[in-house]
Amino acid sequence: MPHLFIFGLGYVGQHLGLRMLSKGWHVSGTTRSQELAQALCKQGFNAIVWDGHSTLPKTLFKKDAHILITIPPNEDGDIVLKSFDFFKMEAKWIGYLSATSVYGDYGGEWVTEDSLLKPNSSRGFQRVLAEMQWLSLKDIMSDFPIHIFRLSGIYGPGRSVLENIKLGTAQRIDKLGHVFSRIHIEDIVSILTKSLSTPTAGEIYNLADDEPSSSADVVAFGCQILGVESPPLIPFEAAKIPSAMKEFYDEHKRVANGKIKKLLGSGLIYPTYREGLKHC
């Protein structure tokens, strides 16, 4: 039975894990609380409580395991690499979930996997450092099976603008010409599943949909779906935006997705936010 181990059974990890369980895989992974571990075990996962710091046992993985890292890095880079010696095990596939924040601000221009990395946020710098740490192992051992996935804004059922609209907290923020790239959870799962079955060690992939769009347009469409009045546009300068969210408005780029389409051999399930929000 093929084995997938997921560091961080969160939103993406659980969706991918459930897909692989349905395919007959053995899926295990880490979570931070005993309560969550028990709930995950009831769904079929072998969940292990891990604080992100303690040393992991050498027997954690079987030979030819598939490993996904979803846990965000810190100022020292990837925390998983500090807890396990990946050279002493024979993984078939290792996937690291990074983010398009590694590109920084491109003034609205398109970025590809070959674009210069010039992050302008602490989170972006941490992502770049973690990517470099993983790719350095590929430099040492040419067949080291690392794959880097740079995710745009993740959304899906239970995690979309629709929830904010229902709560009455959605804002239509107007920043002239500013757009974001997004990716639906089902497309993330589809891309990762394809990569699991066809490893291409050392590759880097952007995960984004076909239509970078403004948050104001997305909120307006969400309101249309729910049949509620759209909130008025608020100038960016006057909007009350959490400090963590302001970092996203400091970066303006369009993320190209041609490489993942070649990997999939077809288009995305949800090529724009319109199809994606209707599914949500």
Side-chain angles (χ1 to χ4, degrees):
M1 181 185 295
H3 179 207
L4 172 63
F5 191 97
I6 302 173
F7 284 95
L9 284 166
Y11 190 70
V12 175
Q14 288 182 43
H15 275 79
L16 177 64
L18 289 170
R19 174 73 60 86
M20 303 319 291
L21 283 170
S22 72
K23 291 178 176 289
W25 284 48
H26 173 64
V27 181
S28 51
T30 67
T31 186
R32 284 186 173 271
S33 80
Q34 189 62 49
E35 183 180 2
L36 281 173
Q38 291 173 352
L40 290 165
C41 287
K42 290 179 180 179
Q43 297 183 66
F45 295 97
N46 176 27
I48 300 166
V49 178
W50 184 50
D51 61 7
H53 304 290
S54 56
T55 302
L56 295 167
K58 295 180 180 179
T59 57
L60 195 62
F61 313 114
K62 299 177 182 179
K63 184 179 179 180
D64 291 335
H66 299 71
I67 302 165
L68 179 69
I69 297 92
T70 76
I71 300 172
N74 59 24
E75 61 275 7
D76 297 319
D78 185 54
I79 66 172
V80 174
L81 274 173
K82 294 181 178 296
S83 304
F84 196 84
D85 187 350
F86 284 85
F87 278 129
K88 293 183 179 179
M89 48 81 69
E90 299 178 48
K92 191 170 184 178
W93 179 94
I94 300 175
Y96 179 73
L97 298 192
S98 185
T100 55
S101 57
V102 297
Y103 296 114
D105 181 29
Y106 266 77
E109 296 297 318
W110 288 93
V111 294
T112 71
E113 291 83 355
D114 296 322
S115 296
L116 178 68
L117 306 184
K118 48 179 187 177
N120 60 346
S121 68
S122 59
R123 287 186 289 189
F125 278 107
Q126 291 170 9
R127 294 286 188 186
V128 171
L129 176 57
E131 284 191 15
M132 291 173 59
Q133 291 170 340
W134 280 106
L135 292 172
S136 68
L137 301 184
K138 182 75 170 60
D139 293 335
I140 298 169
M141 189 165 64
S142 61
D143 60 348
F144 189 73
I146 184 63
H147 306 70
I148 305 292
F149 301 92
R150 294 172 178 161
L151 276 62
S152 301
I154 304 168
Y155 76 102
R159 183 174 168 172
S160 76
V161 71
L162 300 178
E163 281 69 42
N164 293 333
I165 294 170
K166 291 175 183 177
L167 290 172
T169 59
Q171 300 182 81
R172 292 184 65 219
I173 297 171
D174 183 22
K175 188 173 185 182
L176 184 63
H178 194 281
V179 296
F180 295 97
S181 290
R182 300 165 181 79
I183 186 74
H184 191 284
I185 184 63
E186 291 300 325
D187 280 312
I188 297 173
V189 168
S190 178
I191 292 160
L192 293 176
T193 302
K194 181 69 173 180
S195 181
L196 282 163
S197 64
T198 55
T200 51
E203 289 289 355
I204 300 171
Y205 300 97
N206 285 339
L207 274 64
D209 68 13
D210 292 344
E211 188 178 326
S213 308
S214 72
S215 61
D217 287 347
V218 174
V219 171
F221 188 75
C223 290
Q224 180 182 327
I225 291 174
L226 295 176
V228 299
E229 186 176 352
S230 181
L233 281 173
I234 303 173
F236 174 73
E237 296 75 16
K240 295 180 180 179
I241 307 172
S243 56
M245 190 63 190
K246 282 185 178 179
E247 289 184 2
F248 293 101
Y249 281 93
D250 290 337
E251 301 177 3
H252 184 201
K253 55 184 172 287
R254 290 171 166 82
V255 182
N257 63 10
K259 196 170 182 179
I260 58 170
K261 290 183 177 179
K262 290 180 181 178
L263 170 69
L264 293 171
S266 62
L268 298 170
I269 303 168
Y270 303 106
T272 79
Y273 67 87
R274 298 178 191 87
E275 296 88 357
L277 287 181
K278 287 178 181 178
H279 170 257
C280 293

